[in-house]
Amino acid sequence: MVRYSDELLDEIRMRNDIVDVVSQYVTLKRKGRNYFGVCPFHNEKSPSFSVSPDKQIFHCFGCGVGGNVFHFISKIENIGFIESVQMLAERVGMELPNSSNAEDEKIANLKAKVYEVNKASAEFYHLNLYKPTSKMAQEYIKKRKLDNNTLKAFLIGYAGDGNELFSYLKSKGFGPEEMLASSLIGKTESGRYYDKFKRRIMFPIQDVRNRVIAFGGRVLDDSKPKYINSPENIVYSKGRNLFALNVAKRAEPGMLKRILIVEGYMDAISLYQRGIKNVVASLGTALTDAQGRLLRKNSEQVILRV
Ligand SMILES: [Zn+2]
């Protein structure tokens, strides 16, 4: 049976704006935040079929049908879910992988492993922060006045001097392939493995589903570079995520009323500690289109504060 990954489905859904898609079948008129038209699924004269561009869903107040863009296509074209995915992928010129292909299966497995490596590493760094050997990091945390709740909420950690992470991951049974793919471990030309982040405060970057996808590491002193971030890899593509969105959503589940965007890790974290929990960091100077879509999907109102 054909199965597509959640990431792929998200991508197809994001690229097929529901208002555009529905408009190919129904004449829509904007009314406030939503669009309305005559329902194609039941007989009616006055429009009770609504489409929400913010939530990317449709709903008919007359007959009760509703769902996302896939549901709409499968219903109106009278095709199955998989066919609707294929149709919408084709609409935006996306190639779909053939899941019977062994190569895709391998990539999917490696991705799943890398998420596990990232999670184990975030926990390792976090616990490491509390160890007596991490005195310098603890002093930095004290100076920045971060309390324990904040450290836990963001899983803030510390990468020490040596190659402790590599030893730890190895002891947990992880293999070289997934360790290297996580970008946390490197390999010298002579074949020795080493920790890439050293003597840095570690900020795990998590997606909305609380999966650790990357890390930012900050030095304790004034040396350069101040921050090192994970490079793009099999689970991380820059500019597609927002730091702390998962934490904001935990504080206010569902659609956020408003969200505040700041630039850096510490901006978001210190506001959180002062009780302002609906805050995310863009981790860059300009918001990308993907970040914009992510914000509109999760919050009614967006406030920029850079
Ligand atoms: Zn209807």
Side-chain angles (χ1 to χ4, degrees):
M1 207 191 97
V2 190
R3 259 189 73 229
Y4 299 120
S5 68
D6 291 344
E7 285 80 13
L8 186 64
L9 294 180
D10 282 349
E11 176 83 30
I12 297 167
R13 204 150 45 89
M14 267 195 249
R15 286 168 64 168
N16 281 283
D17 184 81
I18 194 164
V19 176
D20 293 344
V21 172
V22 173
S23 294
Q24 295 180 319
Y25 302 88
V26 182
T27 307
L28 293 174
K29 275 207 180 111
R30 182 154 205 152
K31 230 197 251 168
R33 299 176 68 88
N34 296 324
Y35 288 81
F36 283 86
V38 175
C39 181
F41 305 120
H42 84 280
N43 232 323
E44 65 172 5
K45 292 218 170 68
S46 57
S48 49
F49 179 83
S50 75
V51 179
S52 161
D54 300 327
K55 294 178 193 153
Q56 290 290 306
I57 53 170
F58 71 97
H59 175 73
C60 175
F61 295 96
C63 66
V65 295
N68 62 25
V69 72
F70 297 128
H71 302 124
F72 178 81
I73 285 296
S74 78
K75 212 163 159 48
I76 199 139
E77 294 284 351
N78 200 21
I79 53 180
F81 181 78
I82 293 295
E83 285 76 27
S84 75
V85 171
Q86 289 161 345
M87 195 174 155
L88 287 169
E90 200 172 300
R91 182 176 175 269
V92 293
M94 277 175 72
E95 289 260 347
L96 285 175
N98 177 355
S99 79
S100 59
N101 189 323
E103 196 58 30
D104 295 326
E105 193 82 29
K106 228 184 111 194
I107 290 172
N109 288 339
L110 182 58
K111 264 186 156 181
K113 277 279 178 205
V114 169
Y115 283 124
E116 283 179 42
V117 168
N118 284 350
K119 182 170 184 270
S121 302
E123 285 163 2
F124 173 83
Y125 287 139
H126 181 63
L127 291 178
N128 195 37
L129 181 62
Y130 294 88
K131 286 185 187 157
T133 44
S134 305
K135 229 179 183 74
M136 287 202 355
Q138 290 154 10
E139 271 160 25
Y140 174 85
I141 294 293
K142 222 159 134 191
K143 214 167 67 198
R144 300 304 290 251
K145 300 192 170 62
L146 298 181
D147 66 30
N148 204 36
N149 282 336
T150 304
L151 296 177
K152 300 263 174 237
F154 291 92
L155 256 186
I156 295 169
Y158 179 59
D161 265 327
N163 297 311
E164 302 101 329
L165 180 67
F166 172 68
S167 308
Y168 175 75
L169 292 174
K170 205 175 150 198
S171 77
K172 286 276 157 190
F174 290 110
E177 193 189 9
E178 55 255 27
M179 286 197 241
L180 293 172
S182 76
S183 315
L184 289 167
I185 303 296
K187 189 181 177 185
T188 65
E189 279 188 17
S190 60
R192 269 192 44 242
Y193 294 94
Y194 62 92
D195 288 16
K196 281 194 172 175
F197 287 92
K198 281 185 182 159
R199 291 180 297 279
R200 283 175 185 269
I201 297 287
M202 298 298 287
F203 302 100
I205 303 171
Q206 292 167 273
D207 64 11
V208 197
R209 290 177 223 162
N210 293 310
R211 292 183 302 194
V212 179
I213 53 175
F215 290 83
R218 192 203 190 283
V219 286
L220 299 173
D221 52 22
D222 291 327
S223 57
K224 297 267 152 70
K226 192 161 138 189
Y227 280 96
I228 294 182
N229 293 309
S230 302
E232 302 217 336
N233 60 35
I234 192 168
V235 300
Y236 180 54
S237 46
K238 243 163 117 178
R240 297 205 73 91
N241 292 279
L242 291 154
F243 176 71
L245 183 57
N246 65 313
V247 180
K249 286 191 77 77
R250 218 181 288 148
E252 197 182 320
M255 190 82 163
L256 294 158
K257 288 223 163 45
R258 47 169 61 176
I259 200 149
L260 186 65
I261 310 167
V262 293
E263 201 188 325
Y265 299 102
M266 283 306 294
D267 305 323
I269 291 167
S270 49
L271 283 169
Y272 174 91
Q273 188 164 285
R274 277 180 255 159
I276 301 163
K277 299 191 173 176
N278 53 336
V279 53
V280 298
S282 60
L283 303 179
T285 41
L287 275 183
T288 65
D289 289 347
Q291 286 174 328
R293 280 195 298 266
L294 195 57
L295 283 168
R296 283 195 300 277
K297 209 171 116 188
N298 288 290
S299 179
E300 286 170 18
Q301 197 191 350
V302 175
I303 305 163
L304 267 167
R305 202 194 98 156
V306 180

